[in-house]
Amino acid sequence: MDQQIPRQTGTPPTTVEQTPGQAARMSPDTLAVHAGRGGLRQLGAGVPPIDRGAFNPLPDVDVGGASYDSLAAGLALADGQVPVYRRLWGPNAARLEEAVAALDGTKDAVAFSTGMAAVNTLFKIVADTSKRHIVAVRPLYGGTDHTLARSPHGIEVTWSAPTMVHSALRRDSGLIFVETPANPSMDLIDLDELVRQADGVPVAVDNTFATPVLQAPARHGVTLVIASATKFIGGHGDALGGVISTTPEWAAKLRAERALAGNILSPDEAYMLHRGLQTMPVRVRAQQESARRIAEWLTEQAAVSRVLYPGLPGCDPQGLVGEGRQMAGPGSMLAFGMHGGYEAATRVAHSVRLITHAVSLGGVQSLIQHPAALTHRPVEDSAKPDGDLLRVSVGLEDAQDLISDLEQAVAA
Ligand code: PLP
């Protein structure tokens, strides 16, 4: 993977075309460690240097102007052009983009300051076209739901059941937006079936819960694969970011809009997320093993009314996980309901000792939170998760220690 040109000199990506070929040959574990790290030997560096520069020296006015034109259009620089200004392009963000695209099996990816920055930039692009109708399937992360419910930039939204997407489409539909597994219900959507229904309308999938380790939406014909990199990609709860893996055409639009919105990923966070990505496959699999045990244990608890986890037969009626049709495993996110309703659920959230009562997910620390009161607070009542529901992000602690903590919290 070292055949690529050094990027730290400020040369924007020109080698993303190599990535899909590499992705076809290498496993996610290898890509996670090496992708986006080309050219380090030429730099004499073992890891990517962090380039905090806000600007780059311009060779002359005409080259500077031409470089600006390329970047403002979201395109790669031509030979001899320079990056100009970090709101337009940054080497550390570009390295992460290359790595995530390799893992997602897309030709390109675009990195943003947060997952919500990524989602909102996508919606802005759709709004700026004549096709500003979006078909969306609930549940979605509360921030995404809230954004769509506000019809930003004149977008019109039709909420649809996953099987009714085709009939919800209009002549001016520009995007279909779903999450699978969905936050927080863990509902699964059959992506092959969704893409068939889409009839050519671009499909965007928030793949944050699954990660590219367990699910590759682009292989099912999905055009835009979204990740809150804050979660499993970073994996340690200490950096925010968002990435959209997609085609070169969409990537150019996203970069052009990002340059105007000013929401490019910062060098330090890009470095941290790129570092976290190296262990993502190992973390995802280890966390998943604990989540399986915890989900099974929860199903046996008298105080627990239901457990939502794609590894349980009832939660995967289409065999998307069980038969391996779409996911390589059920992941490490789960939710459960308490017979005692809101009171009992909040008591569990307040009683955990090892598990942290906090929002966010996908990191090495296990977290528990009450979606209706927190992550999905802004969602309108008819679509809000039930008050008895708790969501758990299973981390890397010992599974038995986590079960013991939940046991005392559920007993409380
Ligand atoms: N998508 C999902 C599924 C999420 O859970 C979140 C945040 O929790 C986001 C998107 C937004 O990401 P960020 O918090 O990085 O803006």
Side-chain angles (χ1 to χ4, degrees):
M1 311 211 80
D2 235 16
Q3 70 275 41
Q4 295 161 10
I5 51 167
R7 294 286 174 71
Q8 223 59 33
T9 54
T11 310
T14 54
T15 57
V16 284
E17 296 297 338
Q18 296 175 9
T19 300
Q22 291 171 338
R25 289 200 312 274
M26 294 185 191
S27 87
D29 293 59
T30 308
L31 290 170
V33 174
H34 291 287
R37 289 168 188 270
L40 291 182
R41 271 182 222 163
Q42 291 95 309
L43 292 172
V47 298
I50 300 175
D51 182 346
R52 294 202 182 89
F55 57 82
N56 300 85
L58 306 172
D60 64 50
V61 170
D62 289 340
V63 170
S67 305
Y68 177 87
D69 283 346
S70 299
L71 293 172
L75 302 173
L77 294 178
D79 279 351
Q81 293 187 335
V82 292
V84 182
Y85 188 55
R86 188 156 39 77
R87 177 158 48 75
L88 308 177
W89 186 85
N92 293 101
R95 286 185 178 279
L96 179 71
E97 290 170 350
E98 186 178 337
V100 175
L103 278 161
D104 274 324
T106 59
K107 288 194 171 176
D108 207 346
V110 185
F112 296 86
S113 53
T114 64
M116 284 310 295
V119 166
N120 275 285
T121 305
L122 173 60
F123 293 160
K124 178 71 167 59
I125 290 169
V126 174
D128 285 348
T129 68
S130 57
K131 296 195 167 192
R132 60 173 73 109
H133 173 245
I134 296 181
V135 177
V137 176
R138 277 172 163 154
L140 297 172
Y141 164 60
T144 308
D145 186 304
H146 190 203
T147 302
L148 285 173
R150 290 167 59 226
S151 298
H153 320 292
I155 275 176
E156 286 184 59
V157 179
T158 300
W159 299 104
S160 167
T163 50
M164 300 302 286
V165 164
H166 186 73
S167 46
L169 289 175
R170 306 190 325 205
R171 246 195 247 287
D172 63 344
S173 297
L175 191 72
I176 296 166
F177 195 100
V178 306
E179 268 177 35
T180 181
N183 185 357
S185 66
M186 308 305 300
D187 288 354
L188 302 177
I189 292 176
D190 182 333
L191 294 177
D192 287 332
E193 170 56 20
L194 184 72
V195 169
R196 264 196 296 278
Q197 289 191 66
D199 229 351
V201 174
V203 175
V205 173
D206 187 326
N207 202 39
T208 300
F209 274 28
T211 80
V213 179
L214 301 178
Q215 179 167 270
R219 297 211 182 100
H220 299 270
V222 166
T223 306
L224 298 129
V225 182
I226 298 163
S228 165
T230 313
K231 311 301 183 331
F232 288 95
I233 290 178
H236 293 74
D238 54 6
L240 271 66
V243 183
I244 302 183
S245 298
T246 186
T247 62
E249 295 75 26
W250 272 97
K253 290 189 251 187
L254 288 162
R255 284 200 179 93
E257 191 59 41
R258 182 183 70 176
L260 293 175
N263 54 17
I264 191 170
L265 184 63
S266 78
D268 292 80
E269 312 250 349
Y271 178 90
M272 293 298 283
L273 296 170
H274 198 187
R275 183 173 80 153
L277 182 77
Q278 292 187 293
T279 54
M280 181 172 71
V282 180
R283 283 187 279 107
V284 165
R285 288 192 293 265
Q287 289 171 225
Q288 173 174 266
E289 279 323 297
S290 297
R292 274 188 218 272
R293 279 185 61 188
I294 293 166
E296 276 161 23
W297 176 83
L298 281 167
T299 61
E300 291 157 8
Q301 305 313 301
V304 172
S305 57
R306 65 206 152 108
V307 183
L308 309 176
Y309 180 62
L312 298 172
C315 299
D316 178 26
Q318 303 163 93
L320 299 177
V321 185
E323 293 164 23
R325 282 211 291 122
Q326 188 169 300
M327 291 183 71
S332 56
M333 296 299 301
L334 60 88
F336 63 97
M338 293 292 292
H339 278 303
Y342 177 84
E343 298 296 329
T346 52
R347 219 172 308 127
V348 172
H350 298 160
S351 304
V352 285
R353 293 178 194 145
L354 174 63
I355 300 171
T356 304
H357 176 207
V359 296
S360 202
L361 60 104
V364 295
Q365 285 186 61
S366 294
L367 307 179
I368 193 166
Q369 66 104 17
H370 188 277
L374 286 150
T375 50
H376 292 67
R377 193 176 190 86
V379 175
E380 60 194 48
D381 285 348
S382 60
K384 219 191 264 293
D386 293 335
D388 68 335
L389 197 73
L390 289 160
R391 190 192 74 187
V392 181
S393 171
V394 178
L396 275 183
E397 303 92 338
D398 177 76
Q400 189 51 53
D401 289 342
L402 293 171
I403 288 173
S404 301
D405 191 29
L406 282 171
E407 190 164 29
Q408 63 80 27
V410 168

